[in-house]
Amino acid sequence: MADGVSGERLRAVIADDQALVRTGFGMILTADGIEVTGEAADGAEAVAAVRRTRPDVVLMDIRMPGMDGIEATRRILAEDTAGEIRVIILTTYDLDHYVYAALTAGASGFLLKDVTPEHLVAAVRLVRSGDALLAPTITRRLIERFAQREEALPSADPHRDLSGLTPRELEVLRLLATGLSNAELAERLFLSPTTVKTHIGRILSKLELRDRVQAVVLAYESGLITPGGATETAL
């Protein structure tokens, strides 16, 4: 089955310290035509597997011995100069307090380990297409919850501020960060869905972000929007 942006078969690496999880997820992906190019029991092995096989998507557990999934995600995406690899975080508990750190490290979303086979496959294909795995409202709720904790909110990157965005792009980003979907954005701004997608694409390009999840994270870090849902009036 052809997948991915190049039409080639979609490829994945699975990183989890539990062999049964790796085996089970591998069987599910393989049965749907997704090639599993490597497995890893810890973060260091995950980084090595990605370097060796250059997959499209990495399923990354957070809690692993030695190097954890957050550091592995950070290293993988730092080395991915083409910006083509997507990382999906695997977690046992909903809203695991490590998830926010994983998203700020560049992950495109997260899945619970009790995910259904259908949802797992759909998630892998979704992030490979360039979309974020989390629904906008879930993204906002997740980031709001952990942005309220000072220790969870890292300093904003001074080299990636919002000064390069147009007033319309700032407005789109602000509303995006409050949890609006593309359709809701189009209705609120009296724009076509195609125009909204164009604005979001330009925002991601200017800010050097992978997807809308990272855009929401940056909106909080920069102060464009504050925890609790209230937007800043002064930029």
Side-chain angles (χ1 to χ4, degrees), residues 16-230:
D16 194 287
D17 61 348
Q18 298 182 47
L20 286 178
V21 172
R22 299 196 304 272
T23 299
F25 281 6
M27 292 175 62
I28 292 169
L29 297 181
T30 300
D32 204 75
I34 298 172
E35 180 183 359
V36 177
T37 62
E39 295 185 8
D42 58 46
E45 289 184 9
V47 173
V50 170
R51 288 173 178 167
R52 184 174 65 252
T53 68
R54 296 295 300 174
D56 301 297
V57 177
V58 182
L59 294 175
M60 181 76 74
D61 187 21
I62 292 181
R63 304 177 187 181
M64 294 184 289
M67 185 189 300
D68 64 21
I70 295 174
E71 180 59 25
T73 295
R74 187 177 294 111
R75 295 192 184 189
I76 288 169
L77 297 182
E79 295 179 2
D80 179 30
T81 56
E84 297 177 348
I85 298 174
R86 299 292 186 267
V87 176
I88 299 175
I89 295 297
L90 301 174
T91 180
T92 304
Y93 305 103
D94 191 10
L95 295 182
D96 186 305
H97 74 277
Y98 291 108
V99 169
Y100 179 84
L103 295 180
T104 61
S108 293
F110 75 99
L111 286 174
L112 300 182
K113 287 188 179 180
D114 61 358
V115 63
T116 65
E118 295 78 13
H119 191 184
L120 175 65
V121 170
V124 171
R125 297 190 185 282
L126 179 66
V127 298
R128 186 62 191 95
S129 71
D131 291 328
L133 177 58
L134 305 178
T137 52
I138 296 176
T139 305
R140 177 187 57 77
R141 189 169 65 247
L142 172 72
I143 294 174
E144 267 192 9
R145 175 169 175 175
F146 295 111
Q148 292 175 19
R149 304 178 182 179
E150 292 182 2
E151 71 274 16
L153 186 60
S155 299
D157 184 347
H159 302 293
R160 199 168 55 184
D161 60 30
L162 307 182
S163 60
L165 301 184
T166 67
R168 174 62 93 179
E169 289 166 351
L170 282 171
E171 185 177 20
V172 170
L173 178 57
R174 183 185 293 110
L175 293 174
L176 177 68
T178 65
L180 296 185
S181 65
N182 284 6
E184 291 168 335
L185 281 168
E187 182 178 359
R188 177 76 65 87
L189 298 173
F190 302 102
L191 299 173
S192 70
T194 299
T195 301
V196 168
K197 288 182 180 179
T198 298
H199 280 309
I200 293 175
R202 288 174 178 168
I203 290 168
L204 298 182
S205 177
K206 288 183 178 181
L207 299 178
E208 300 179 1
L209 303 173
R210 291 172 177 268
D211 51 42
R212 67 191 296 148
V213 171
Q214 284 194 302
V216 175
V217 170
L218 185 59
Y220 276 92
E221 292 179 348
S222 66
L224 182 67
I225 185 170
T226 57

